[in-house]
Amino acid sequence: ASFILHETCKMSIPRNAISKTKSYCKKKRQHKQMIRHGFSCHYNAVIIFALVIFATGFLANREISVVFALVVPYYLATSSKHSKSRDFLSLCSTPLLVDSTTTENTSYHSPLSMGIDELSLILNGRGRALAAWDCYRQGIDPCLFYSSSLLQEEGAFTAKFPKSRVNQGLGKDSLQRLKNAFPHNPQQGIIEHCVASLSHSSTSNDGTTKLLIKMAKDGLEVETVIIPWEKRKRSTLCISSQVGCRQGCTFCATGRMGKLRSLSSDEIIVQMYYATQLCRSPNSNLFPIDNVVFMGMGEPADNVDNVVRACRILTDRQLFQLSRSKVTISTVAPTPKAFSDLAAAQCTLAWSVHVVHDETRQFLIPTFNPKIYTMQQMKVELCRVLNSSHLASKRLRTIMLEVALLDGVNDAVHNAIDLAEFAQSMIDQVQGLKLVVNLIPWNDIGTGSRSYNTPNPSAVKDFQNALTERGIYTFIRTTRGDDDSAACGQLATTRLPTASKAKIEE
């Protein structure tokens, strides 16, 4: 009973409660009345739960207690004499602007993964929330920027702010509320101490930069990679969704780590925060980030809630402002349900197929069990999702089939022919589908329980030709960062010799 009352008081105000209140509020008082409306919701919820708990405690018959516990809240929520209690019904049934996370113990989130409406309630003003996100979007901590005269002197920061908010400040009270909104270390109130810190940075010969990010919660570390593209003057960010991975892919360094825990939405977004911070550094040769791929450490399908929330923050036009088609979620799809779960992010999906034969795929991915779900069953579900209303835009009706090519395992021409038939059947089932096959020559991850070899370049080219001859668009992924263990499949949190502390801070 105490837990229910406590959690009820902590419930956030849903989107429709905010919009409903706005329609009755005067412009100058709307935020204050929104907050009062929220407290009204909480007060009604507490009263209803208190009545239920009080009544059920005195009823001896268990069946009557259950009926009473179900009927009374409904009566109070729908009765005309208790019209305000309908706010409680709305509070319980309406999702937040960004769905709250529920995976493991990572359900907390800080201002770094809050939408404008959520943050405006905390800061008591929409303009203040927008000003805070002007900073986050550039990899700047607003708690430092608006409280430090040294940082405010840097005109390069404010040059990218909207003209209407160049002189916008948060004020002492707003800064304190922003600091208190962090669930960890609110006394410090800065991202480095409350969410995560950048503990290491290294750059390979081709410019690919790997970041080692240490979580403030428990000190665990994840890796994220910035891949610059000289031709288009932009960078791709490869981010992680978990510390380790439970799928155990035998050719992947992360799979050999095992799963330690899932990342919260904050800990996913903070990778974008630090990468953006590094890219805008005047001493950096990195280009701005316009593309994000969930192809780092972890399986997104095992951390759906946090991944979906992070994708909504990345693609919100008032937050990180990325195009939905520029955010790709890669999954091995532990179950067919993974496709529909991840499609809720409204971003591009990539399926790590590797091979279409059930037995060979189980050899490569031990958690794949063809006795439960075959590749054909997985394909049917994926096509159903691509045809469904999960994807609001037909532009997102794109699927990437990823294949890590291993010498003597899945790089033969007959494997390519089977994959072409598999892909063509998907194209036939989904109208307007844009299907791309991404071939990834295996990158050496060191010795392990099973030894693999990188395929011969001629074998990779033959594999590609077999697909293109059958009308399947195919490209070979360029290996980037392999000399620094930053290439695909090589990510694992083993601390390399660090660069100087001064360089990292710079």
Side-chain angles (χ1 to χ4, degrees), residues 80-219:
S80 59
K81 294 181 180 180
H82 300 87
S83 58
K84 289 185 178 181
S85 297
R86 283 196 291 268
D87 292 336
F88 164 68
L89 190 62
S90 172
L91 187 66
C92 294
S93 62
T94 308
L96 295 175
L97 174 62
V98 181
D99 294 339
S100 60
T101 56
T102 56
T103 305
E104 298 176 352
N105 294 321
T106 58
S107 59
Y108 58 88
H109 58 274
S110 73
L112 193 60
S113 60
M114 288 183 184
I116 295 298
D117 287 337
E118 279 185 278
L119 194 55
S120 64
L121 293 174
I122 292 174
L123 300 181
N124 198 20
R126 187 176 181 84
R128 296 186 183 98
L130 290 169
W133 264 105
D134 287 338
C135 293
Y136 289 140
R137 192 163 45 249
Q138 295 189 61
I140 304 170
D141 191 333
C143 290
L144 293 176
F145 181 77
Y146 286 110
S147 61
S148 170
S149 58
L150 179 64
L151 285 177
Q152 290 187 36
E153 293 174 359
E154 296 291 338
F157 298 154
T158 57
K160 295 184 179 181
F161 288 3
K163 292 183 179 180
S164 60
R165 292 195 296 275
V166 169
N167 298 319
Q168 171 79 48
L170 291 185
K172 186 176 180 181
D173 292 340
S174 296
L175 284 173
Q176 189 58 50
R177 284 194 292 269
L178 187 62
K179 292 179 180 181
N180 292 339
F182 286 92
H184 298 295
N185 276 337
Q187 298 83 4
Q188 298 288 344
I190 60 175
I191 291 175
E192 185 176 0
H193 294 150
C194 299
V195 182
S197 59
L198 178 61
S199 61
H200 178 65
S201 173
S202 60
T203 303
S204 61
N205 294 329
D206 60 12
T208 300
T209 301
K210 182 168 68 172
L211 310 180
L212 186 65
I213 297 177
K214 184 177 182 180
M215 302 304 147
K217 178 182 178 181
D218 48 21

Side-chain angles (χ1 to χ4, degrees), residues 44-65:
N44 291 326
V46 170
I47 289 181
I48 292 173
F49 274 118
L51 288 173
V52 173
I53 293 165
F54 177 83
T56 53
F58 285 92
L59 292 175
N61 189 295
R62 182 178 300 177
E63 288 74 19
I64 296 177
S65 300

Side-chain angles (χ1 to χ4, degrees), residues 351-385:
W351 184 16
S352 297
V353 174
H354 304 308
V355 66
V356 298
H357 293 100
D358 291 338
E359 294 76 13
T360 308
R361 192 168 194 264
Q362 186 178 26
F363 175 79
L364 297 175
I365 309 172
T367 53
F368 172 70
N369 188 351
K371 294 181 179 179
I372 302 176
Y373 302 110
T374 65
M375 284 297 288
Q376 291 300 320
Q377 290 174 313
M378 302 286 283
K379 179 187 68 175
V380 169
E381 176 61 16
L382 176 56
C383 291
R384 186 196 68 78
V385 171

